[in-house]
Amino acid sequence: NQHVPIDITLTPAKRHKLSFGFGYDTEIDLNASVRWQNRLINSSGHNTDVLLKVSEKKSQLRGTYWIPINDPRTDKIGFITTFETEETDDTDRETLDLEAAWLFKWIEGWDTKLFTEYKFERFESENTPESISRLISIGGRLEGQFFEKNIPYRRKGWSAFAELRGAPELIWSDTDYLRLQLKSRI
């Protein structure tokens, strides 16, 4: 009847993944990292990722929580928290970032991100007194990659990236700013 019988067996990926890393960087010397991923927290597809990077001069703890919506392959809402410390010979810095983001496909081939971010930074240098800054940024990002179609070994393509973000003093930011970033590759 013009049908070929095929049996397919699928095995789900492990729910938890733990990975370790060690390295050396000329700016921060020896460093180590540990990353834990829970790829399936519940039956709705929620997932999380926690990364800890430690070195003598700079350390970072980053956690993400993603909730799939609409099309779970492309659309999700996420919450990202990052705490970073840096101590060098002449500076001391602590930064806390809290971000809420919505990722989705707006136009075919283009990844879209709308976000709001709260950033708290404490900075101290041997030549300047301690300073504290707070920013609440809002913004959006659009990026896409395009290649030749139906060719086994793609050789041509292009990509584009655009991000607009800003922080108005009206909503609890210590300063106003507006930044437009554009990038493209051929």
Side-chain angles (χ1 to χ4, degrees):
N1 294 340
Q2 303 284 328
H3 291 95
V4 177
I6 298 175
D7 290 330
I8 298 174
T9 303
L10 300 175
T11 305
K14 291 183 179 180
R15 178 174 281 193
H16 299 278
K17 181 179 178 184
L18 189 62
S19 53
F20 301 91
F22 298 96
Y24 179 80
D25 186 316
T26 56
E27 291 184 18
I28 60 173
D29 297 328
L30 292 174
N31 58 76
S33 65
V34 61
R35 182 178 183 188
W36 169 69
Q37 294 172 286
N38 185 340
R39 299 174 182 166
L40 188 60
I41 292 174
N42 58 26
S43 61
S44 298
H46 295 205
N47 60 82
T48 190
D49 189 348
V50 178
L51 173 66
L52 174 64
K53 289 183 177 181
V54 179
S55 76
E56 187 177 338
K57 295 181 181 177
K58 187 175 184 180
S59 297
Q60 179 188 73
L61 176 61
R62 182 172 197 245
T64 61
Y65 190 92
W66 294 103
I67 303 166
I69 56 172
N70 300 329
D71 183 344
R73 296 170 299 154
T74 58
D75 301 354
K76 56 188 173 182
I77 293 175
F79 303 95
I80 302 105
T81 302
T82 307
F83 178 70
E84 190 172 275
T85 63
E86 184 176 13
E87 285 185 42
T88 61
D89 295 336
D90 57 352
T91 62
D92 182 19
R93 178 181 62 86
E94 293 176 348
T95 305
L96 174 66
D97 285 321
L98 304 171
E99 181 179 335
W102 175 28
L103 281 68
F104 59 97
K105 291 275 190 198
W106 180 42
I107 303 171
E108 186 61 39
W110 292 91
D111 293 325
T112 308
K113 178 181 180 181
L114 299 176
F115 60 90
T116 184
E117 177 187 38
Y118 170 73
K119 182 185 285 276
F120 173 87
E121 183 175 79
R122 186 193 62 77
F123 181 82
E124 191 174 356
S125 173
E126 65 181 33
N127 299 332
T128 59
E130 177 181 275
S131 67
I132 292 176
S133 65
R134 294 174 190 85
L135 291 174
I136 293 183
S137 302
I138 53 175
R141 175 186 300 166
L142 188 65
E143 59 186 313
Q145 294 181 353
F146 303 91
F147 301 97
E148 297 172 307
K149 294 185 179 187
N150 302 322
I151 298 173
Y153 302 104
R154 297 175 178 172
R155 295 183 187 175
K156 294 181 183 175
W158 64 278
S159 67
F161 172 92
E163 181 179 275
L164 178 65
R165 70 167 54 214
E169 282 184 282
L170 294 172
I171 54 171
W172 203 45
S173 291
D174 292 337
T175 186
D176 282 324
Y177 84 91
L178 183 64
R179 181 179 81 181
L180 173 63
Q181 184 179 5
L182 301 171
K183 292 191 279 191
S184 182
R185 292 179 80 177
I186 296 177

